[in-house]
Amino acid sequence: VYGVQTAPRTVSGVASAYDAVATEWDRALGATDSERAQLTSLIGSLGDFTKKRVLDVGCGTGLALDLGITQSVRYVGVDPSQG
């Protein structure tokens, strides 16, 4: 959805077993619609984060953005896997 993350500033230089499956992860192993609804409800019960800055460490494919927890301009995702 967000495109390939291959800009020089996004390269971590860290090899990970996740690298080989990252591109297909959401389609093959991502959260189901039911899991997404439950996560959205759980996080919503903690407060409204849509106008807050969010740092997602170990973000993988960026589920927090997919769930609409925050706005993309307020989101920073950090993950050691390659793009």
Side-chain angles (χ1 to χ4, degrees), residues 49-56 70-71 73-76:
F49 294 93
T50 56
K51 301 285 185 192
K52 304 216 183 223
R53 293 184 186 113
V54 172
L55 172 61
D56 188 357
T70 190
Q71 301 168 345
V73 298
R74 300 176 189 279
Y75 176 84
V76 173

Side-chain angles (χ1 to χ4, degrees), residues 12-33:
S12 71
V14 176
S16 164
Y18 178 71
D19 295 345
V21 297
T23 304
E24 302 297 323
W25 181 266
D26 285 337
R27 184 177 15 251
L29 300 166
T32 65
D33 289 342

Side-chain angles (χ1 to χ4, degrees), residues 3-82:
V4 178
Q5 301 296 306
T6 57
R9 68 180 190 190
T10 67
V11 176
S12 71
V14 176
S16 164
Y18 178 71
D19 295 345
V21 297
T23 304
E24 302 297 323
W25 181 266
D26 285 337
R27 184 177 15 251
L29 300 166
T32 65
D33 289 342
S34 174
E35 290 168 332
R36 287 172 181 259
Q38 291 173 8
L39 286 168
T40 302
S41 176
L42 173 66
I43 294 167
S45 73
L46 300 173
D48 181 8
F49 294 93
T50 56
K51 301 285 185 192
K52 304 216 183 223
R53 293 184 186 113
V54 172
L55 172 61
D56 188 357
V57 178
C59 65
T61 58
L63 184 60
L65 282 180
D66 293 341
L67 296 177
I69 292 167
T70 190
Q71 301 168 345
S72 60
V73 298
R74 300 176 189 279
Y75 176 84
V76 173
V78 180
D79 196 278
S81 64
Q82 300 301 305

